[in-house]
């Protein structure tokens, strides 16, 4: 994590994406997601460029919440991991970048050290033009998450109890998702 446009600049993001991509095999697939802030969008686009430059294909989930990003990684065939960029919850002038493994869990320390080593050594492979990673925009990301949620959640039991739920989610991303999750 770091200050936007100071420690976390677009140039930093490109190198970070390349460092992460270089820790994977050429031809790997990862997901990339972010929150709705312009700063996260800017950093995210740099990360995507860095990943593609080392031969990693990207599924750009765009603006989704962290749980949805984590859930989507194992759903994408062959995805080796994912990256989520967001404004730090306690520091509104900082962006944080989170790395996930192929199960959608936080990466372990050995992978983190490999990415750091690649970054500081600038040990990035460069692929030929034909091997540059592809960029995909999967459809139905929210619907897939909602359907998975409903498969494991017994809505009949809850609806029979007729609970009253009050949520304050202001103008956050979840205002798109929660009505469809809780409506049923």
């Amino acid at each position: 994590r770091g200050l936007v446009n100071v420690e976390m600049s677009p140039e930093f993001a490109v190198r970070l994406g390349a460092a992460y991509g270089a820790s994977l095999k050429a031809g790997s697939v990862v997901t990339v997601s972010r929150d709705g802030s312009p700063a996260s969008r800017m950093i995210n686009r740099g990360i995507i460029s860095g990943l593609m430059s080392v031969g990693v294909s990207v599924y750009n989930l765009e603006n989704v919440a962290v749980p949805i990003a984590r859930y989507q990684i194992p759903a994408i065939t062959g995805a080796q991991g994912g990256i989520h960029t967001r404004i730090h919850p306690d520091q509104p002038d900082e962006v944080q970048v989170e790395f996930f493994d192929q199960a959608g869990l936080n990466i372990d320390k050995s992978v983190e050290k490999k990415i750091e080593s690649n970054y500081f050594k600038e040990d990035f492979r460069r692929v030929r033009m034909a091997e540059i990673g592809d960029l995909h925009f999967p459809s139905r990301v929210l619907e897939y998450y909602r359907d998975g949620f409903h498969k494991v959640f017994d809505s009949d039991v809850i609806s029979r109890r007729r609970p009253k739920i009050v949520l304050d989610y202001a103008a956050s991303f979840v205002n798109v998702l929660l009505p469809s999750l809780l409506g049923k």
Side-chain angles (χ1 to χ4, degrees):
R1 77 180 213 199
L3 289 170
V4 175
N5 266 338
V6 178
E7 296 135 337
M8 298 293 279
S9 67
E11 299 83 7
F12 172 86
V14 171
R15 289 194 315 272
L16 182 62
Y20 175 55
S23 73
L24 304 169
K25 293 179 183 175
S28 292
V29 173
V30 299
T31 66
V32 175
S33 55
R34 61 176 172 80
D35 67 14
S37 73
S40 295
R41 183 183 319 119
M42 174 184 71
I43 297 301
N44 210 38
R45 288 179 178 173
I47 289 170
I48 290 169
S49 294
L51 286 164
M52 292 173 63
S53 75
V54 296
V56 173
S57 291
V58 175
Y59 278 77
N60 187 354
L61 306 179
E62 298 183 277
N63 179 11
V64 298
V66 174
I68 296 169
R70 289 180 183 273
Y71 185 81
Q72 192 70 29
I73 294 167
I76 293 177
T77 306
Q80 295 300 304
I83 302 174
H84 186 78
T85 307
R86 64 181 172 156
I87 297 298
H88 190 278
D90 300 323
Q91 300 294 328
D93 56 345
E94 290 187 3
V95 170
Q96 83 180 31
V97 178
E98 299 172 270
F99 294 86
F100 308 126
D101 66 14
Q102 62 192 19
L105 304 173
N106 293 342
I107 58 170
D108 62 40
K109 291 292 181 191
S110 65
V111 175
E112 189 176 310
K113 296 254 186 255
K114 188 173 184 179
I115 296 167
E116 286 176 3
S117 175
N118 289 347
Y119 180 86
F120 289 113
K121 291 180 185 176
E122 294 194 20
D123 188 15
F124 317 134
R125 70 176 165 264
R126 293 292 175 211
V127 297
R128 295 187 322 244
M129 191 166 96
E131 297 169 325
I132 291 173
D134 291 323
L135 180 58
H136 306 277
F137 293 88
S139 60
R140 303 195 63 237
V141 171
L142 295 180
E143 291 86 356
Y144 179 75
Y145 181 80
R146 185 195 61 227
D147 293 347
F149 181 86
H150 286 296
K151 285 179 186 173
V152 297
F153 190 80
D154 190 348
S155 58
D156 292 334
V157 169
I158 300 297
S159 63
R160 282 195 300 266
R161 293 185 181 175
R162 303 183 56 110
K164 292 184 180 168
I165 301 171
V166 177
L167 298 169
D168 179 9
Y169 47 80
S172 75
F173 168 78
V174 294
N175 65 1
V176 175
L177 179 64
L178 283 180
S180 65
L181 276 180
L182 299 177
K184 187 175 178 181

